[in-house]
Every structure is written in structure tokens, then in C-alpha cells.
Amino acid sequence: MRIIHRLRNKKLGELQKKMSHCRKDSKQWKKYNQAKKFILSKSDRQFKDTAHKSTKQFVDLCLKEQVTNVVIGNPDGVQKKSKAKKEKRPLKNYRIGLLVKSIKSLNTNL
């Protein structure tokens, strides 16, 4: 998920830079804006797909190991305690809410 997030931000930055040199609502600006919308929708689909695949693996593992209870906590404390930027980065670009929502939708007697 971090890779998708990073690539999306990189592409959006390039498009924003090009858009800043264009007059708003010009033909070229509209083309860049359309490309921006495409990148955002594509990355959202990739996030959903990755979340579904990882939570499916998690649920299958839980069923295989006969886990009866799963506790999901709030990652805010972990993010605030780590002081180095490199430690915060993995959690910052991770969509925790999307994963929790995916796990709840795949809830099969956990």
C-alpha cells in the first residue's frame, strides 16, 4: 500500500506542477485535470484491491489456525510514540480504516 501511495503522490506532484503553468479551464489544463482524476481513481481501486487481498489472507489464516477472537486497536499511540520519521512513515501511508472495514466485511465467525 505504501508503494501505491508514494507513486500516486509522485504523479500528482508532476501533474500539479504542469497545471500551475496553465491557465485554468484551458484545453491543456483540462487534459491534466482529467489525467489527475484518472490517477486518483486508479489508485483508489488499487488500494481496495490490495486491502481485499491482504485481509482475505488474514481471515484465511485465522480460520486455519482456529482463531476465535480478533482484537483491532487504534494505531495512534504507536504513531505518536515513535520519534524517527522512518518509523512513522510505514503507518502514515497505511489506510488502517480501509483494512478494518475489509476485515469486517469478510467476517466469517471470527
Side-chain angles (χ1 to χ4, degrees):
M1 288 185 126
R2 285 175 44 211
I3 295 169
I4 299 167
H5 197 78
R6 184 171 179 247
L7 180 66
R8 183 188 75 170
N9 287 341
K10 182 179 174 183
K11 294 290 184 183
L12 286 178
E14 291 171 2
L15 283 172
Q16 281 297 123
K17 186 175 180 180
K18 290 178 181 179
M19 287 174 74
S20 69
H21 296 292
C22 297
R23 183 177 294 152
K24 189 174 180 182
D25 294 328
S26 65
K27 281 186 179 182
Q28 193 61 45
W29 186 89
K30 288 178 183 178
K31 286 180 185 179
Y32 290 145
N33 199 34
Q34 190 69 26
K36 183 176 153 185
K37 287 179 184 179
F38 176 76
I39 290 170
L40 288 172
S41 65
K42 182 179 177 181
S43 64
D44 282 341
R45 289 192 305 270
Q46 287 175 330
F47 278 129
K48 288 178 184 177
D49 183 54
T50 306
H52 175 72
K53 287 178 181 176
S54 60
T55 53
K56 177 70 173 152
Q57 281 182 335
F58 174 73
V59 169
D60 288 344
L61 179 71
C62 289
L63 292 175
K64 181 182 171 188
E65 299 292 326
Q66 298 175 347
V67 175
T68 55
N69 293 327
V70 176
V71 179
I72 300 171
N74 191 355
D76 284 342
V78 176
Q79 283 181 326
K80 290 179 183 175
K81 286 181 184 177
S82 62
K83 295 183 180 180
K85 282 186 177 181
K86 288 185 179 179
E87 292 176 8
K88 289 181 183 180
R89 199 173 299 137
L91 289 174
K92 185 177 180 183
N93 292 338
Y94 223 70
R95 290 185 164 185
I96 304 295
L98 185 64
L99 291 173
V100 171
K101 187 178 175 184
S102 244
I103 289 172
K104 287 181 180 179
S105 70
L106 289 173
N107 186 8
T108 54
N109 301 325
L110 286 182

